Every structure is written in C-alpha cells, then in structure tokens.
Amino acid sequence: MLDWTDKHCRYFYRLMSKHTVLYTEMVTTGAILHGKGDYLSYNDEEHPLVLQLGGSDVKAMTECAKIAEQYGYDEVNINVGCPSDRVQNGRFGACLMAEPSLVADCINEMQNAASIPVTVKSRIGIDDQDSYEFLHTFIEEVAKADCKHFIIHARKAWLTGLSPKQNRDVPPLDYERVYKIKQDFSQLDISINGGIKTFTETKAHLKHVDGVMIGREIYSNPYMLTDADNDIYNTNTVKQTRAEVIDLMVPYINETVKDGGRAWHVLRHMLGLCNGLAGARKFRQHLSECASKEGANGQILLDAFNKVTIN
Ligand SMILES: Cc1cc2nc3c(=O)[nH]c(=O)nc-3n(C[C@H](O)[C@H](O)[C@H](O)COP(=O)(O)O)c2cc1C
C-alpha cells in the first residue's frame, strides 16, 4: 500500500505469519528504471514476496520483470486497480481495465523474459464500464496471455470525480461478482479483496474463491496475522506473543538506525500492535512522541510496551 507499507513493515508482518504472501506497494517502471533510490531492496525474511508493478509500456514492464527476477522476487503483480490522476496520466492502474490486450501484451513479453509468474490486481469495473460482461471480457483476454492468478478488488473505480481514498470506500462492494468470475473461470486462481476484516470472513470467502487479500485491516490491527498460519494455512504453529514479536523487532530497529535509518521508519508500522489491550493508547502515544527523536532506537519500543497491561 503506497505510502503505508515498506520493507520494514513486511519484516514485522513476517514475524507473525510465515505463510501469508506479502506484496510490495506499487512501484512504477519509471522509478525502477530511472529513479535514483533503490526501490526494490527488501529483507530476505520477507519471502514469499510479490513485487507490484505500475506501468504499461511493454518494453519497460518486461525489463522490470527481468530485474524483479534478478532481485529474487517470487512473483510480479501488475496494478490494474489504482485510480489516481497521476497513474491515469501514465496510462496505467485501473484505466488499463479498458485495455485488456495491452495488459495481455505486457504479460506475454514479461513471461517470455522472466520465469517468475506475472499476475494482475484489478477492480470489477471502471466508471460506467461496470457490467459483469466487461469484467468477464477483461479476465478472458488477459488470461489468454497465460495469466493464472487475478486478485480482484470487489468494487469498481471512478476514474474522475472521486479521490483514490474515496475510491476505496464509496463504490459499493460486490463480492458475488468475483465469485461468479471464479465459477466461469474455474481453471484460474481468483483472489478477492476489499473490506475484509477477519479470518472468519476470510474463510467464508474461501468457500467461493481461491485466495483473500487484506489491506487496511492488517495495517491497523497487525497482530491478527499471528492467527493466519493456523486459521488459514492449517498449520499447527505456536503463536508469537506480542512480547516475542517486540523482542525480535528491537534488534531490527537498532540495525536500521545503525544503517542510517530512523526508528520511526520501523515503528510507524507498529502503532496498532497492542490494539485491544489496556494501555494501547499510551503505547501508540509513546511511539508517536518518541520514535522520531534524534537517537531513538529499539528501547523506545520496550518503553512503550511497558505501558501496556496484558492479562
Ligand atoms: C494507503 C493505501 C495505499 C494503497 N496502495 C496500493 C497499491 O500500491 N497497490 C494496490 O494494488 N493497492 C493499493 N491500495 C489498495 C489496497 O491494496 C486494497 O485494494 C484496498 O484498500 C481494499 O482492500 P482493504 O479493504 O482490505 O484495504 C492501497 C490502499 C491504501 C489504503
């Protein structure tokens, strides 16, 4: 999730679930090919890890798929769901739902050039192109390029008139439409996304589709990930306690600081770790107030956790 998640966030998540597939935020082909920063670095612990790419120029997308493979990403996912103006001006994101043959061309070339799978994350429609047939045609055309996995955010995007934030809440969710895609394309791997908050809901969706993607709820309530391996992947794992997660994060934060980063870069993702416990507000407050101060390190996290009462 752009501006929210990063490699520090995924390192934290991976401590709580070994099996959940983690996705990067969207990284554009322009940033990868011409940007100054290293947009692709990650911690080895993050696997299984998917790089989400934003772009539609076949040559650039192909080059980026090769680079993603060299970096060791497990999969590349194409963003066909972002409605922002900036993204539309670059002719990528959700507006690509109207250009399935271009998406298919990208996937064909990317899969010829790299051996990791190329998948797609889309909406159920855009603007007035919101019929079931529109979505069906999109999936059918893109699947011809041998794309086997689609993640579908079960609401359409309005390309004009709504902000990206509104586009995540205002258009109504239509889970049935995604279920129907799975029925009509039973050979494809179909994952559903949008508004899913619990693993009970997740299990209900899994009766109809192959996978569930959760975004905002994990970000606000990350500790729920400690239930994912047992509840969803049917393992028999001993769940990490919050104290154990914290003990593992402290050296990671110290390492980040030693490498020139800020404690806040890591701790900002941990604000919701203690939600639901007495003292959660004080925990968040302590992190918010202290983690960006000069010299802040992992000790800030231990101090914040001391404000929490665990029964
Ligand atoms: C701050 C923010 C940034 C996002 N960035 C991306 C992104 O980079 N790529 C993407 O496919 N979706 C992005 N999304 C959309 C989410 O992946 C997801 O589709 C949407 O929030 C609905 O799922 P949820 O209700 O589980 O959060 C973003 C969402 C938020 C809140």
Side-chain angles (χ1 to χ4, degrees):
M1 292 192 286
L2 266 180
D3 299 331
W4 285 21
T5 61
D6 58 17
K7 65 177 184 179
H8 303 312
C9 181
R10 292 188 296 272
Y11 182 89
F12 167 50
Y13 290 170
R14 185 57 75 213
L15 296 177
M16 295 180 282
S17 166
K18 295 284 166 252
H19 296 277
T20 304
V21 179
L22 298 175
Y23 285 70
T24 69
E25 63 287 4
M26 177 177 67
V27 186
T28 63
T29 53
I32 294 171
L33 298 175
H34 311 295
K36 297 236 182 322
D38 184 0
Y39 295 91
L40 297 183
S41 78
Y42 62 86
N43 302 287
D44 283 343
E45 293 82 356
E46 290 171 49
H47 291 290
L49 178 64
V50 181
L51 170 67
Q52 192 190 59
L53 261 188
S56 65
D57 177 83
V58 178
K59 233 174 114 199
M61 292 290 274
T62 307
E63 199 48 41
C64 288
K66 281 197 275 189
I67 297 173
E69 182 172 35
Q70 283 157 13
Y71 264 79
Y73 281 92
D74 299 297
E75 180 181 313
V76 174
N77 176 262
I78 304 178
N79 184 315
V80 188
C82 179
S84 86
D85 289 345
R86 194 172 57 86
V87 158
Q88 284 181 63
N89 291 337
R91 199 179 161 208
F92 59 97
C95 63
L96 286 177
M97 285 202 79
E99 299 196 71
S101 60
L102 175 57
V103 178
D105 287 348
C106 287
I107 295 175
N108 267 324
E109 292 301 319
M110 291 164 83
Q111 296 201 138
N112 285 337
S115 58
I116 49 176
V118 179
T119 65
V120 164
K121 177 163 179 266
S122 75
R123 298 285 186 132
I124 54 174
I126 41 172
D127 296 331
D128 292 323
Q129 296 174 292
D130 60 359
S131 65
Y132 180 72
E133 288 65 39
F134 176 76
L135 177 61
H136 188 281
T137 305
F138 174 79
I139 302 282
E140 189 173 39
E141 289 298 310
V142 175
K144 281 185 194 152
D146 214 19
C147 177
K148 295 191 174 70
H149 181 202
F150 292 81
I151 300 150
I152 308 178
H153 181 178
R155 54 164 68 87
K156 74 167 175 180
W158 282 106
L159 297 182
T160 45
L162 289 189
S163 68
K165 188 169 187 301
Q166 289 170 315
N167 259 310
R168 289 178 210 125
D169 288 311
V170 174
L173 286 161
D174 188 347
Y175 295 136
E176 292 296 329
R177 199 161 276 202
V178 182
Y179 298 167
K180 186 154 166 49
I181 287 290
K182 176 62 195 175
Q183 282 164 16
D184 289 353
F185 297 95
S186 56
Q187 76 286 8
L188 297 178
D189 197 350
I190 302 293
S191 297
I192 198 164
N193 162 248
I196 300 161
K197 290 188 188 299
T198 65
F199 292 136
T200 308
E201 287 169 45
T202 300
K203 281 193 261 186
H205 286 296
L206 288 174
K207 295 198 170 101
H208 305 277
V209 290
D210 306 292
V212 171
M213 175 185 267
I214 306 182
R216 288 168 291 187
E217 190 59 28
I218 296 287
Y219 199 82
S220 330
N221 184 21
Y223 192 65
M224 73 183 268
L225 270 174
T226 51
D227 287 321
D229 289 353
N230 291 343
D231 285 8
I232 305 300
Y233 294 94
N234 299 319
T235 64
N236 200 0
T237 312
V238 181
K239 195 171 142 165
Q240 297 267 15
T241 63
R242 286 178 176 85
E244 285 166 341
V245 173
I246 283 172
D247 280 347
L248 292 166
M249 285 306 290
V250 169
Y252 180 81
I253 295 163
N254 291 341
E255 237 0 80
T256 303
V257 172
K258 215 171 90 195
D259 291 345
R262 290 267 174 154
W264 175 247
H265 296 162
V266 185
L267 288 167
R268 71 190 186 105
H269 304 299
M270 300 183 68
L271 296 175
L273 178 65
C274 295
N275 283 356
L277 300 180
R281 203 165 59 85
K282 286 191 178 151
F283 174 83
R284 281 195 304 273
Q285 238 168 19
H286 190 80
L287 293 183
S288 305
E289 281 164 15
C290 303
S292 43
K293 289 191 181 152
E294 198 60 45
N297 59 24
Q299 185 60 40
I300 300 284
L301 180 58
L302 296 170
D303 296 344
F305 194 52
N306 274 334
K307 299 181 185 301
V308 174
T309 314
I310 301 196
N311 296 319

